[in-house]
């Protein structure tokens, strides 16, 4: 057996990523085409349209992503919200009330 010299993981390889995307696309297309082969029992009428639920799910996903982008500036905190980003070790010890032992 030959050993791989690359440190890339299985899901980091472009060929595997493209294969997974293709499998997902085929599965989604198959489920969409399956709507032709079963009887629908719509409650409101519009939910009996072809592809209504996939479109409604995609619209809900887009709404969540776009609303999160709009809310980010309102909810975001500054980089130093909890104090200094990278304090020196000496400053950290001083703030804790400890003395330095430099011998």
């Amino acid at each position: 057996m030959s050993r791989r010299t690359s440190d890339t993981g299985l899901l980091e390889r472009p060929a595997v990523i493209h294969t997974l995307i293709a499998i997902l696309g085929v599965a989604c297309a198959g489920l969409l085409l399956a709507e032709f082969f079963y009887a629908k029992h719509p409650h409101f009428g519009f939910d009996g349209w072809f592809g209504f639920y996939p479109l409604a799910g995609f619209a809900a996903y887009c709404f969540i992503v776009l609303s999160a982008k709009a809310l980010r500036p309102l909810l975001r905190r500054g980089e130093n919200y909890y104090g200094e980003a990278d304090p020196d070790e000496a400053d950290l010890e001083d703030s804790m009330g400890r003395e330095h032992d430099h011998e």
Side-chain angles (χ1 to χ4, degrees):
M1 274 209 260
S2 65
R3 292 184 141 190
R4 286 189 337 218
T5 58
S6 171
D7 288 340
T8 60
L10 179 67
L11 295 176
E12 294 176 352
R13 298 181 194 158
V16 174
I17 293 171
H18 293 302
T19 303
L20 289 175
I21 290 173
I23 290 171
L24 179 64
V26 168
C28 289
L31 289 172
L32 185 64
L33 291 175
E35 285 199 36
F36 286 121
F37 302 106
Y38 68 91
K40 298 177 188 174
H41 305 287
H43 186 73
F44 296 105
F46 60 85
D47 56 345
W49 298 343
F50 178 76
F52 172 76
Y53 287 106
L55 290 174
F58 182 72
Y61 170 77
C62 289
F63 173 74
I64 290 170
V65 170
L66 294 176
S67 64
K69 282 188 174 189
L71 285 173
R72 185 173 182 212
L74 297 173
L75 300 176
R76 182 175 39 189
R77 299 287 184 205
E79 183 177 335
N80 295 331
Y81 181 72
Y82 292 107
E84 290 185 35
D86 190 13
D88 293 330
E89 186 178 330
D91 293 339
L92 182 61
E93 289 177 0
D94 287 340
S95 67
M96 295 174 67
R98 296 182 186 157
E99 294 182 6
H100 300 287
D101 292 329
H102 297 289
E103 296 179 9

